[in-house]
Amino acid sequence: KTLLHALNPLPRASGLEAQLRKKFADAEITLTAGSNGIYDITVDGREIFSKHKSGRFPDNDEIVRLLAGRPQA
């Protein structure tokens, strides 16, 4: 079971959530409001993407690829 946690549930995060629910139906997905443009994605407590660190928003397909390539918890 994968736990995905995305901060700042803007329309962009909601779109990602919908795409992930289709691809990973058994995953527990939580969107949490952030501030100051935070858009971080963690899986099982481990950060897999940070807009703050990368300076950009991720493409939804990029996040799907990152999740599809990781071992199941």
Side-chain angles (χ1 to χ4, degrees), residues 12-48:
R12 184 182 306 265
S14 296
L16 174 59
E17 176 188 21
Q19 189 171 349
L20 292 174
R21 287 193 188 280
K22 285 181 184 178
K23 179 78 174 170
F24 307 101
D26 63 338
E28 181 181 329
I29 301 171
T30 305
L31 300 180
T32 305
S35 61
N36 299 322
I38 292 173
Y39 195 89
D40 294 339
I41 299 172
T42 58
V43 177
D44 297 329
R46 184 171 160 242
E47 182 179 272
I48 65 164

mmCIF file of all heavy atoms in Angstrom, residues 12-48:
data_model
loop_
_atom_site.group_PDB
_atom_site.id
_atom_site.type_symbol
_atom_site.label_atom_id
_atom_site.label_comp_id
_atom_site.label_asym_id
_atom_site.label_seq_id
_atom_site.Cartn_x
_atom_site.Cartn_y
_atom_site.Cartn_z
ATOM 1 N N ARG A 12 -4.094 21.806 -9.867
ATOM 2 C CA ARG A 12 -2.998 20.966 -10.361
ATOM 3 C C ARG A 12 -2.882 19.700 -9.518
ATOM 4 O O ARG A 12 -2.759 18.592 -10.046
ATOM 5 C CB ARG A 12 -1.686 21.755 -10.297
ATOM 6 C CG ARG A 12 -0.498 21.029 -10.866
ATOM 7 C CD ARG A 12 0.770 21.849 -10.724
ATOM 8 N NE ARG A 12 0.688 23.180 -11.285
ATOM 9 C CZ ARG A 12 1.078 23.516 -12.510
ATOM 10 N NH1 ARG A 12 1.569 22.597 -13.302
ATOM 11 N NH2 ARG A 12 0.982 24.741 -12.932
ATOM 12 N N ALA A 13 -2.945 19.832 -8.205
ATOM 13 C CA ALA A 13 -2.852 18.667 -7.321
ATOM 14 C C ALA A 13 -4.088 17.788 -7.456
ATOM 15 O O ALA A 13 -3.986 16.558 -7.405
ATOM 16 C CB ALA A 13 -2.662 19.111 -5.871
ATOM 17 N N SER A 14 -5.233 18.395 -7.645
ATOM 18 C CA SER A 14 -6.463 17.615 -7.806
ATOM 19 C C SER A 14 -6.411 16.781 -9.081
ATOM 20 O O SER A 14 -6.874 15.641 -9.107
ATOM 21 C CB SER A 14 -7.681 18.541 -7.834
ATOM 22 O OG SER A 14 -7.811 19.206 -6.604
ATOM 23 N N GLY A 15 -5.856 17.339 -10.148
ATOM 24 C CA GLY A 15 -5.691 16.588 -11.391
ATOM 25 C C GLY A 15 -4.740 15.417 -11.217
ATOM 26 O O GLY A 15 -4.983 14.317 -11.729
ATOM 27 N N LEU A 16 -3.656 15.648 -10.485
ATOM 28 C CA LEU A 16 -2.707 14.578 -10.203
ATOM 29 C C LEU A 16 -3.378 13.497 -9.367
ATOM 30 O O LEU A 16 -3.227 12.306 -9.632
ATOM 31 C CB LEU A 16 -1.468 15.117 -9.485
ATOM 32 C CG LEU A 16 -0.453 14.081 -9.012
ATOM 33 C CD1 LEU A 16 0.086 13.259 -10.177
ATOM 34 C CD2 LEU A 16 0.683 14.767 -8.263
ATOM 35 N N GLU A 17 -4.145 13.920 -8.377
ATOM 36 C CA GLU A 17 -4.840 12.956 -7.526
ATOM 37 C C GLU A 17 -5.746 12.060 -8.363
ATOM 38 O O GLU A 17 -5.737 10.829 -8.212
ATOM 39 C CB GLU A 17 -5.664 13.686 -6.471
ATOM 40 C CG GLU A 17 -6.483 12.739 -5.612
ATOM 41 C CD GLU A 17 -7.451 13.448 -4.690
ATOM 42 O OE1 GLU A 17 -7.814 14.611 -4.943
ATOM 43 O OE2 GLU A 17 -7.866 12.809 -3.712
ATOM 44 N N ALA A 18 -6.511 12.643 -9.277
ATOM 45 C CA ALA A 18 -7.419 11.853 -10.118
ATOM 46 C C ALA A 18 -6.643 10.860 -10.981
ATOM 47 O O ALA A 18 -7.037 9.697 -11.112
ATOM 48 C CB ALA A 18 -8.251 12.788 -10.993
ATOM 49 N N GLN A 19 -5.542 11.297 -11.549
ATOM 50 C CA GLN A 19 -4.727 10.424 -12.396
ATOM 51 C C GLN A 19 -4.131 9.278 -11.575
ATOM 52 O O GLN A 19 -4.110 8.130 -12.013
ATOM 53 C CB GLN A 19 -3.620 11.229 -13.065
ATOM 54 C CG GLN A 19 -2.864 10.478 -14.116
ATOM 55 C CD GLN A 19 -1.910 11.374 -14.911
ATOM 56 O OE1 GLN A 19 -1.959 12.598 -14.816
ATOM 57 N NE2 GLN A 19 -1.049 10.766 -15.679
ATOM 58 N N LEU A 20 -3.672 9.579 -10.357
ATOM 59 C CA LEU A 20 -3.081 8.543 -9.503
ATOM 60 C C LEU A 20 -4.127 7.545 -9.024
ATOM 61 O O LEU A 20 -3.844 6.355 -8.914
ATOM 62 C CB LEU A 20 -2.365 9.184 -8.319
ATOM 63 C CG LEU A 20 -1.112 9.967 -8.671
ATOM 64 C CD1 LEU A 20 -0.570 10.672 -7.436
ATOM 65 C CD2 LEU A 20 -0.051 9.071 -9.293
ATOM 66 N N ARG A 21 -5.321 8.024 -8.740
ATOM 67 C CA ARG A 21 -6.386 7.104 -8.298
ATOM 68 C C ARG A 21 -6.744 6.108 -9.401
ATOM 69 O O ARG A 21 -7.092 4.968 -9.115
ATOM 70 C CB ARG A 21 -7.614 7.875 -7.846
ATOM 71 C CG ARG A 21 -7.404 8.566 -6.515
ATOM 72 C CD ARG A 21 -8.694 9.066 -5.905
ATOM 73 N NE ARG A 21 -8.423 9.882 -4.743
ATOM 74 C CZ ARG A 21 -8.146 9.407 -3.536
ATOM 75 N NH1 ARG A 21 -8.096 8.117 -3.342
ATOM 76 N NH2 ARG A 21 -7.917 10.221 -2.530
ATOM 77 N N LYS A 22 -6.653 6.525 -10.655
ATOM 78 C CA LYS A 22 -6.906 5.603 -11.766
ATOM 79 C C LYS A 22 -5.792 4.572 -11.883
ATOM 80 O O LYS A 22 -6.034 3.385 -12.084
ATOM 81 C CB LYS A 22 -7.015 6.373 -13.086
ATOM 82 C CG LYS A 22 -8.299 7.117 -13.250
ATOM 83 C CD LYS A 22 -8.321 7.821 -14.600
ATOM 84 C CE LYS A 22 -9.567 8.661 -14.747
ATOM 85 N NZ LYS A 22 -9.595 9.396 -16.018
ATOM 86 N N LYS A 23 -4.552 5.023 -11.768
ATOM 87 C CA LYS A 23 -3.390 4.154 -11.961
ATOM 88 C C LYS A 23 -3.093 3.276 -10.744
ATOM 89 O O LYS A 23 -2.705 2.124 -10.879
ATOM 90 C CB LYS A 23 -2.168 5.021 -12.292
ATOM 91 C CG LYS A 23 -0.891 4.280 -12.506
ATOM 92 C CD LYS A 23 -0.815 3.642 -13.861
ATOM 93 C CE LYS A 23 0.559 3.033 -14.059
ATOM 94 N NZ LYS A 23 0.632 2.213 -15.231
ATOM 95 N N PHE A 24 -3.271 3.836 -9.542
ATOM 96 C CA PHE A 24 -2.939 3.138 -8.288
ATOM 97 C C PHE A 24 -4.166 3.125 -7.387
ATOM 98 O O PHE A 24 -4.236 3.843 -6.384
ATOM 99 C CB PHE A 24 -1.773 3.835 -7.580
ATOM 100 C CG PHE A 24 -0.567 4.029 -8.450
ATOM 101 C CD1 PHE A 24 -0.294 5.259 -9.026
ATOM 102 C CD2 PHE A 24 0.303 2.980 -8.713
ATOM 103 C CE1 PHE A 24 0.816 5.452 -9.829
ATOM 104 C CE2 PHE A 24 1.416 3.157 -9.515
ATOM 105 C CZ PHE A 24 1.672 4.388 -10.079
ATOM 106 N N ALA A 25 -5.137 2.302 -7.744
ATOM 107 C CA ALA A 25 -6.438 2.298 -7.063
ATOM 108 C C ALA A 25 -6.341 1.996 -5.565
ATOM 109 O O ALA A 25 -7.169 2.480 -4.785
ATOM 110 C CB ALA A 25 -7.374 1.303 -7.732
ATOM 111 N N ASP A 26 -5.350 1.234 -5.134
ATOM 112 C CA ASP A 26 -5.249 0.863 -3.722
ATOM 113 C C ASP A 26 -4.426 1.847 -2.896
ATOM 114 O O ASP A 26 -4.261 1.673 -1.691
ATOM 115 C CB ASP A 26 -4.678 -0.546 -3.574
ATOM 116 C CG ASP A 26 -3.252 -0.659 -4.102
ATOM 117 O OD1 ASP A 26 -2.851 0.182 -4.931
ATOM 118 O OD2 ASP A 26 -2.538 -1.586 -3.675
ATOM 119 N N ALA A 27 -3.911 2.898 -3.526
ATOM 120 C CA ALA A 27 -3.081 3.873 -2.806
ATOM 121 C C ALA A 27 -3.946 4.784 -1.945
ATOM 122 O O ALA A 27 -5.069 5.130 -2.307
ATOM 123 C CB ALA A 27 -2.278 4.716 -3.791
ATOM 124 N N GLU A 28 -3.426 5.157 -0.807
ATOM 125 C CA GLU A 28 -4.069 6.150 0.055
ATOM 126 C C GLU A 28 -3.476 7.506 -0.305
ATOM 127 O O GLU A 28 -2.280 7.725 -0.160
ATOM 128 C CB GLU A 28 -3.789 5.818 1.520
ATOM 129 C CG GLU A 28 -4.436 6.784 2.480
ATOM 130 C CD GLU A 28 -4.117 6.431 3.917
ATOM 131 O OE1 GLU A 28 -3.946 5.230 4.223
ATOM 132 O OE2 GLU A 28 -4.018 7.357 4.720
ATOM 133 N N ILE A 29 -4.315 8.408 -0.796
ATOM 134 C CA ILE A 29 -3.853 9.707 -1.289
ATOM 135 C C ILE A 29 -4.463 10.806 -0.442
ATOM 136 O O ILE A 29 -5.666 10.829 -0.215
ATOM 137 C CB ILE A 29 -4.239 9.891 -2.771
ATOM 138 C CG1 ILE A 29 -3.606 8.778 -3.611
ATOM 139 C CG2 ILE A 29 -3.837 11.278 -3.267
ATOM 140 C CD1 ILE A 29 -4.096 8.731 -5.033
ATOM 141 N N THR A 30 -3.609 11.712 0.029
ATOM 142 C CA THR A 30 -4.062 12.814 0.857
ATOM 143 C C THR A 30 -3.535 14.127 0.298
ATOM 144 O O THR A 30 -2.340 14.242 0.027
ATOM 145 C CB THR A 30 -3.528 12.661 2.306
ATOM 146 O OG1 THR A 30 -3.911 11.393 2.804
ATOM 147 C CG2 THR A 30 -4.056 13.755 3.196
ATOM 148 N N LEU A 31 -4.418 15.095 0.114
ATOM 149 C CA LEU A 31 -4.004 16.438 -0.279
ATOM 150 C C LEU A 31 -4.121 17.328 0.949
ATOM 151 O O LEU A 31 -5.121 17.321 1.639
ATOM 152 C CB LEU A 31 -4.905 16.982 -1.391
ATOM 153 C CG LEU A 31 -4.940 16.193 -2.690
ATOM 154 C CD1 LEU A 31 -5.873 16.873 -3.684
ATOM 155 C CD2 LEU A 31 -3.558 16.048 -3.283
ATOM 156 N N THR A 32 -3.080 18.093 1.219
ATOM 157 C CA THR A 32 -3.039 18.964 2.383
ATOM 158 C C THR A 32 -2.688 20.370 1.936
ATOM 159 O O THR A 32 -1.732 20.557 1.183
ATOM 160 C CB THR A 32 -1.976 18.475 3.393
ATOM 161 O OG1 THR A 32 -2.246 17.119 3.716
ATOM 162 C CG2 THR A 32 -1.986 19.321 4.648
ATOM 163 N N ALA A 33 -3.449 21.345 2.402
ATOM 164 C CA ALA A 33 -3.176 22.732 2.029
ATOM 165 C C ALA A 33 -1.828 23.172 2.568
ATOM 166 O O ALA A 33 -1.489 22.922 3.714
ATOM 167 C CB ALA A 33 -4.267 23.644 2.564
ATOM 168 N N GLY A 34 -1.053 23.814 1.713
ATOM 169 C CA GLY A 34 0.234 24.380 2.102
ATOM 170 C C GLY A 34 0.156 25.886 1.967
ATOM 171 O O GLY A 34 -0.915 26.461 1.827
ATOM 172 N N SER A 35 1.293 26.529 2.003
ATOM 173 C CA SER A 35 1.323 27.983 1.838
ATOM 174 C C SER A 35 2.572 28.362 1.060
ATOM 175 O O SER A 35 3.486 27.553 0.878
ATOM 176 C CB SER A 35 1.320 28.667 3.203
ATOM 177 O OG SER A 35 2.458 28.287 3.946
ATOM 178 N N ASN A 36 2.607 29.585 0.587
ATOM 179 C CA ASN A 36 3.780 30.115 -0.114
ATOM 180 C C ASN A 36 4.200 29.286 -1.321
ATOM 181 O O ASN A 36 5.380 29.131 -1.594
ATOM 182 C CB ASN A 36 4.962 30.272 0.843
ATOM 183 C CG ASN A 36 4.657 31.235 1.960
ATOM 184 O OD1 ASN A 36 4.001 32.248 1.739
ATOM 185 N ND2 ASN A 36 5.106 30.930 3.158
ATOM 186 N N GLY A 37 3.216 28.716 -2.044
ATOM 187 C CA GLY A 37 3.530 27.975 -3.255
ATOM 188 C C GLY A 37 4.121 26.599 -3.037
ATOM 189 O O GLY A 37 4.697 26.022 -3.946
ATOM 190 N N ILE A 38 3.983 26.048 -1.846
ATOM 191 C CA ILE A 38 4.516 24.714 -1.560
ATOM 192 C C ILE A 38 3.793 23.686 -2.419
ATOM 193 O O ILE A 38 2.569 23.701 -2.522
ATOM 194 C CB ILE A 38 4.356 24.351 -0.068
ATOM 195 C CG1 ILE A 38 5.270 25.226 0.782
ATOM 196 C CG2 ILE A 38 4.648 22.872 0.173
ATOM 197 C CD1 ILE A 38 5.057 25.047 2.262
ATOM 198 N N TYR A 39 4.531 22.827 -3.041
ATOM 199 C CA TYR A 39 3.976 21.708 -3.811
ATOM 200 C C TYR A 39 4.964 20.567 -3.673
ATOM 201 O O TYR A 39 5.851 20.371 -4.498
ATOM 202 C CB TYR A 39 3.805 22.098 -5.286
ATOM 203 C CG TYR A 39 2.915 21.151 -6.064
ATOM 204 C CD1 TYR A 39 1.549 21.349 -6.126
ATOM 205 C CD2 TYR A 39 3.453 20.059 -6.726
ATOM 206 C CE1 TYR A 39 0.730 20.494 -6.844
ATOM 207 C CE2 TYR A 39 2.648 19.192 -7.451
ATOM 208 C CZ TYR A 39 1.288 19.414 -7.510
ATOM 209 O OH TYR A 39 0.491 18.558 -8.222
ATOM 210 N N ASP A 40 4.839 19.843 -2.571
ATOM 211 C CA ASP A 40 5.725 18.724 -2.268
ATOM 212 C C ASP A 40 4.924 17.442 -2.331
ATOM 213 O O ASP A 40 3.756 17.411 -1.946
ATOM 214 C CB ASP A 40 6.336 18.859 -0.877
ATOM 215 C CG ASP A 40 7.265 20.043 -0.762
ATOM 216 O OD1 ASP A 40 7.764 20.536 -1.782
ATOM 217 O OD2 ASP A 40 7.499 20.470 0.372
ATOM 218 N N ILE A 41 5.548 16.382 -2.785
ATOM 219 C CA ILE A 41 4.891 15.084 -2.859
ATOM 220 C C ILE A 41 5.750 14.087 -2.108
ATOM 221 O O ILE A 41 6.943 13.947 -2.384
ATOM 222 C CB ILE A 41 4.691 14.654 -4.326
ATOM 223 C CG1 ILE A 41 3.809 15.677 -5.033
ATOM 224 C CG2 ILE A 41 4.104 13.247 -4.400
ATOM 225 C CD1 ILE A 41 3.679 15.483 -6.510
ATOM 226 N N THR A 42 5.121 13.403 -1.150
ATOM 227 C CA THR A 42 5.822 12.377 -0.382
ATOM 228 C C THR A 42 5.100 11.052 -0.566
ATOM 229 O O THR A 42 3.890 11.004 -0.750
ATOM 230 C CB THR A 42 5.893 12.718 1.126
ATOM 231 O OG1 THR A 42 4.576 12.875 1.633
ATOM 232 C CG2 THR A 42 6.679 13.990 1.370
ATOM 233 N N VAL A 43 5.862 9.986 -0.511
ATOM 234 C CA VAL A 43 5.326 8.635 -0.616
ATOM 235 C C VAL A 43 5.879 7.840 0.546
ATOM 236 O O VAL A 43 7.098 7.772 0.725
ATOM 237 C CB VAL A 43 5.715 7.976 -1.954
ATOM 238 C CG1 VAL A 43 5.219 6.545 -2.004
ATOM 239 C CG2 VAL A 43 5.178 8.779 -3.120
ATOM 240 N N ASP A 44 4.971 7.284 1.345
ATOM 241 C CA ASP A 44 5.370 6.509 2.522
ATOM 242 C C ASP A 44 6.362 7.291 3.384
ATOM 243 O O ASP A 44 7.365 6.756 3.853
ATOM 244 C CB ASP A 44 5.956 5.159 2.113
ATOM 245 C CG ASP A 44 4.937 4.274 1.402
ATOM 246 O OD1 ASP A 44 3.736 4.390 1.712
ATOM 247 O OD2 ASP A 44 5.333 3.482 0.535
ATOM 248 N N GLY A 45 6.110 8.600 3.536
ATOM 249 C CA GLY A 45 6.948 9.449 4.369
ATOM 250 C C GLY A 45 8.218 9.954 3.715
ATOM 251 O O GLY A 45 8.989 10.690 4.320
ATOM 252 N N ARG A 46 8.467 9.589 2.461
ATOM 253 C CA ARG A 46 9.695 9.986 1.750
ATOM 254 C C ARG A 46 9.346 10.965 0.633
ATOM 255 O O ARG A 46 8.504 10.674 -0.210
ATOM 256 C CB ARG A 46 10.358 8.739 1.174
ATOM 257 C CG ARG A 46 11.679 9.033 0.514
ATOM 258 C CD ARG A 46 12.392 7.726 0.160
ATOM 259 N NE ARG A 46 13.378 8.031 -0.849
ATOM 260 C CZ ARG A 46 13.375 7.532 -2.073
ATOM 261 N NH1 ARG A 46 12.454 6.667 -2.435
ATOM 262 N NH2 ARG A 46 14.295 7.869 -2.933
ATOM 263 N N GLU A 47 10.001 12.098 0.636
ATOM 264 C CA GLU A 47 9.750 13.094 -0.394
ATOM 265 C C GLU A 47 10.246 12.593 -1.750
ATOM 266 O O GLU A 47 11.394 12.188 -1.883
ATOM 267 C CB GLU A 47 10.474 14.390 -0.031
ATOM 268 C CG GLU A 47 10.238 15.517 -1.011
ATOM 269 C CD GLU A 47 10.953 16.774 -0.575
ATOM 270 O OE1 GLU A 47 10.349 17.542 0.187
ATOM 271 O OE2 GLU A 47 12.113 16.952 -0.977
ATOM 272 N N ILE A 48 9.341 12.628 -2.750
ATOM 273 C CA ILE A 48 9.766 12.236 -4.094
ATOM 274 C C ILE A 48 9.806 13.427 -5.043
ATOM 275 O O ILE A 48 10.402 13.341 -6.110
ATOM 276 C CB ILE A 48 8.896 11.111 -4.688
ATOM 277 C CG1 ILE A 48 7.457 11.570 -4.899
ATOM 278 C CG2 ILE A 48 8.972 9.855 -3.842
ATOM 279 C CD1 ILE A 48 6.668 10.667 -5.816
#
